Amino acid sequence: MDWIHIEGIRAQCVIGVHDWEKQSPQPIEIDLNLGCDLSAAGQSDDLTQTLDYKAITDDVLAWAQASRFELIETLAETLCQQLLDRYPLAQSVKMKLMKPHAVPYVGNVGLSIERHRGE
């Protein structure tokens, strides 16, 4: 399997279980690895044969910023499913989602998940 890497997507979204977290958007950071077959794109030099990382980044930003969840687990699960639904070439998504201001005196907290088409 081949991989498209998109690292350091920075978005603002309303996420958290505490009342203060639900009052205004907070920063999150997302790294993506999308598994797919890139051989056709490598041979054709044609953008339509690959995953457009600009379009993917724009979609992830829009989806994250429009979301309102309590848990980053729910946000990550939702984003992975939306990516698999929107981009048929993607066979799997590995996502690292970090919430830098979730815990005082801690640089980052977050999670990593991996989802595959057909799960």
Side-chain angles (χ1 to χ4, degrees):
M1 181 154 330
D2 305 317
W3 297 92
I4 296 283
H5 303 281
I6 304 172
E7 298 179 353
I9 299 171
R10 290 179 294 281
Q12 297 281 326
C13 66
V14 176
I15 190 159
V17 296
H18 303 289
D19 287 339
W20 65 267
E21 293 177 299
K22 297 175 183 181
Q23 300 304 313
S24 60
Q26 300 174 62
I28 59 167
E29 298 174 2
I30 300 169
D31 293 341
L32 294 174
N33 296 302
L34 298 116
C36 55
D37 181 356
L38 298 174
S39 59
Q43 294 171 6
S44 68
D45 200 27
D46 181 356
L47 180 60
T48 65
Q49 300 292 313
T50 189
L51 295 170
D52 182 341
Y53 50 82
K54 172 71 166 92
I56 290 168
T57 300
D58 290 345
D59 284 341
V60 169
L61 282 169
W63 296 332
Q65 291 173 170
S67 71
R68 290 187 173 268
F69 296 112
E70 290 193 349
L71 302 176
I72 60 173
E73 291 86 346
T74 309
L75 176 58
E77 188 72 38
T78 300
L79 291 174
C80 284
Q81 190 57 57
Q82 288 174 308
L83 286 165
L84 290 170
D85 289 347
R86 170 80 52 101
Y87 297 95
L89 184 63
Q91 295 302 305
S92 65
V93 177
K94 294 179 185 179
M95 177 181 293
K96 178 180 171 186
L97 193 154
M98 304 301 287
K99 187 177 171 189
H101 302 292
V103 178
Y105 310 109
V106 174
N108 265 320
V109 298
L111 57 83
S112 295
I113 67 172
E114 182 173 349
R115 298 296 179 263
H116 301 270
R117 183 169 302 287
E119 282 186 348

